[in-house]
Amino acid sequence: MKKKYRILSLIAVTALLGGCGKGATPSSPPASDQPESTPAESSEVEKELYPAVTDGSVTLEYWMPIAAPALQVIDSYAENTAYKKAEEATGVKIKFTHPAVGKAKEQFNVLMSGGDLPDMIQYASYYNGGVYKGYEDGAYVDLTPYLKECAPDYLALINEDEDIHREIYKDDKVITFNRIDTEIDIPYYRPMVRQDWLREFNMDIPKTLDDYEAYFQAIQEKKPDAAPFFFTIGTGGDRNLWMGMYDMMGDWYVDNGVIKHYYDNENFKAFLTQMHDWYDKGYLTKDFASLKAEEVNTLFDSGKLGCYSQSVDNQYSRAQQLQDFEFTSCPNPRLTEDQQLHNGPSQNRATSGYDTAISSNCKNVEAAVKFLNYGYSEEGMMTYNYGVEGEAWNMVDGEPQYTDLMLDNPDGLTLSQVAYVHRIHFGPKAVIPDTKCLPGVIKDADSLAFRKLWSDDDKVDSIYSMSELQLTPEETKERSEIITEVSSYVSEMMLQFITGAKPLDQYDEYLQGLKDRSFDRAKEITQIAYDRYMKN
């Protein structure tokens, strides 16, 4: 059973582990009745742990991608005030190394082939064969022996929930520091439509397939210069939203313990038939396969597109800047209003994104572990999510309240930019939801209300969502080789079926093509990994 996040003190962790020594490895989550620490106890832990280095003698190199929006105002995360606070609190100096934007995976591979590894490496899962293969090959350090003494906050968090425990541990070893959600955030990716057009057409917000068709038809009749609808094959968010009404997800998913994929789902043909129908009627824009994301944004913002899927925060921010049109988000599309959908977002609190490993070249592993643990400590969690207390925020009536540094920046930084300069938006940490700490959402009550719109939809659940599985190196290699070929084949066939270049009466030939490319074997590997995960 999932429990609300808490920070445990070193005293509680010691009790949890039964007083085991530094090398002991917890092999199962703690019992649910473990004692919680008081704020005073948690503060004592941080006093004992930090500073990790008192004489300024330790400098560690940290390899991590830098977000493109951050580069608009800073050259390196060395200028980020939250990271500066982490360096001050831990006593560990950090030398940041950033790959070129858009080249992270390519430069990661170059980094690994060179052998001269930095001390800490973000996106450790880029390693060919996965994180555990990186450990087996000697690139990454096993963190487990260090956690009790050097990362008690992280240790407590990954042991408090059995799903998190499954995600992080493999063979009783912990190799990376991962992002851990303190609670599940509100879904942020939804269909967008023009509210001003709905009013003009005297229509309600579309919910069902018939509602969308009526909206698209009205656009064709009354807005002849606009395309009614855009859908992209290559985006998982789009696939999840629009495939959900056909009782499937846009990637791997699990149905009552059975691994499934839309590639060979019995309902995939019905989805393709619908998309082809919309393409044939002119609802789906003819150049849907070639348009880039920024081009689609511009089409919607300029009144040349009636519906597409987007981050609600992104769309709201752009609309506020333009201020010349109205839009709204829609609930997950469905065939009928009473249909129960299973395409809700993952409920897993641990994710592999931004996972950070310590390399075997690390000059001071204990200092590195203590530095990374800071993001899960009481002070570090607040610093990483909100910024530096007293500068970015103050505690008012028991709640953090942002200052003008974040909400009305004196240097002219936008709300999006301050999120990258004065807090840590991406990285391994205990994650507080955007609805509580993202400046752009916090400042504007309408933005927060827009983010929460449809979050109470009881006709959407997440029972199909699947945890990120840990495949063996051999499984990873075999499945990757199959999926590389299969995904290219499916994308090509989807395009041909939707545009009519290939008639849907040849769908059985498509299914045979999956078999010829060993997709059944890829499913078998995934099922084996899932069964192993559930036994962990």
Side-chain angles (χ1 to χ4, degrees), residues 186-187 312-317 320 327 329 415 434-435 438-453:
I186 295 171
V312 294
D313 299 329
N314 185 309
Q315 183 60 55
Y316 185 88
S317 176
Q320 288 298 103
F327 72 98
S329 68
L415 291 170
D434 287 350
T435 50
L438 193 63
V441 174
I442 296 300
K443 181 176 182 178
D444 189 338
D446 289 339
S447 173
L448 183 57
F450 185 62
R451 177 68 178 267
K452 291 181 176 180
L453 191 61

Side-chain angles (χ1 to χ4, degrees), residues 254-518:
V254 61
D255 182 4
N256 289 316
V258 178
I259 292 297
K260 294 186 177 182
H261 202 293
Y262 77 89
Y263 287 169
D264 63 346
N265 189 281
E266 60 270 18
N267 295 324
F268 187 36
K269 184 178 181 180
F271 168 79
L272 292 171
T273 300
Q274 185 62 62
M275 286 295 162
H276 170 65
D277 181 59
W278 283 358
Y279 182 87
D280 208 35
K281 289 177 177 176
Y283 296 164
L284 177 59
T285 179
K286 297 299 182 184
D287 51 358
F288 74 95
S290 60
L291 285 173
K292 294 180 172 57
E294 286 304 315
E295 294 173 324
V296 179
N297 291 344
T298 300
L299 287 173
F300 186 77
D301 296 346
S302 62
K304 299 295 184 182
L305 179 65
C307 175
Y308 80 128
S309 302
Q310 176 62 278
S311 157
V312 294
D313 299 329
N314 185 309
Q315 183 60 55
Y316 185 88
S317 176
R318 294 204 324 274
Q320 288 298 103
Q321 293 174 359
L322 295 170
Q323 294 187 342
D324 61 354
F325 74 98
E326 298 175 56
F327 72 98
T328 189
S329 68
C330 307
N332 290 20
R334 58 206 72 194
L335 297 177
T336 61
E337 286 205 34
D338 61 351
Q339 181 182 11
Q340 186 67 39
L341 302 172
H342 307 307
N343 62 336
S346 172
Q347 299 297 296
N348 299 317
R349 289 169 50 202
T351 62
S352 63
Y354 316 104
D355 49 350
T356 296
I358 296 174
S359 82
S360 55
N361 284 2
C362 183
K363 297 180 286 293
N364 191 324
V365 175
E366 289 192 3
V369 172
K370 289 179 179 180
F371 176 83
L372 291 170
N373 176 75
Y374 181 72
Y376 308 87
S377 69
E378 183 175 11
E379 178 184 283
M381 178 178 67
M382 297 300 289
T383 300
Y384 280 17
N385 286 282
Y386 287 98
V388 179
E389 184 176 11
E391 298 176 9
W393 62 278
N394 293 302
M395 194 67 76
V396 179
D397 296 329
E399 296 291 336
Q401 300 290 328
Y402 276 132
T403 66
D404 284 347
L405 178 72
M406 304 297 281
L407 301 182
D408 190 15
N409 186 264
D411 298 320
L413 299 183
T414 67
L415 291 170
S416 175
Q417 289 168 342
V418 296
Y420 293 102
V421 176
H422 295 299
R423 60 187 289 277
I424 297 173
H425 194 57
F426 300 122
K429 62 177 182 175
V431 182
I432 296 174
D434 287 350
T435 50
K436 294 184 177 180
C437 66
L438 193 63
V441 174
I442 296 300
K443 181 176 182 178
D444 189 338
D446 289 339
S447 173
L448 183 57
F450 185 62
R451 177 68 178 267
K452 291 181 176 180
L453 191 61
W454 313 115
S455 62
D456 59 350
D457 188 348
D458 62 1
K459 292 298 181 181
V460 180
D461 60 52
S462 301
I463 64 173
Y464 282 174
S465 69
M466 189 174 72
S467 301
E468 297 180 49
L469 304 179
Q470 296 190 39
L471 278 65
T472 67
E474 294 75 20
E475 290 169 344
T476 298
K477 182 177 185 297
E478 183 179 2
R479 194 182 76 162
S480 294
E481 290 174 352
I482 295 171
I483 292 300
T484 297
E485 181 180 3
V486 168
S487 62
S488 177
Y489 168 70
V490 172
S491 294
E492 178 184 347
M493 295 300 291
M494 281 184 72
L495 180 60
Q496 292 188 39
F497 282 137
I498 291 173
T499 61
K502 186 177 288 293
L504 278 158
D505 58 15
Q506 295 183 20
Y507 186 77
D508 287 345
E509 295 178 18
Y510 156 75
L511 292 177
Q512 184 59 48
L514 290 179
K515 292 182 181 295
D516 294 343
R517 290 165 176 80
S518 303

Side-chain angles (χ1 to χ4, degrees), residues 167-185:
E167 293 282 341
I168 303 300
Y169 283 89
K170 182 173 181 182
D171 293 339
D172 288 336
K173 291 181 173 60
V174 176
I175 310 301
T176 57
F177 283 85
N178 290 49
R179 283 169 56 93
I180 310 290
D181 292 330
T182 58
E183 58 187 271
I184 302 300
D185 205 355

Side-chain angles (χ1 to χ4, degrees), residues 45-56:
V45 174
E46 292 180 25
K47 288 178 182 177
E48 291 181 21
L49 198 59
Y50 301 115
V53 179
T54 57
D55 59 3

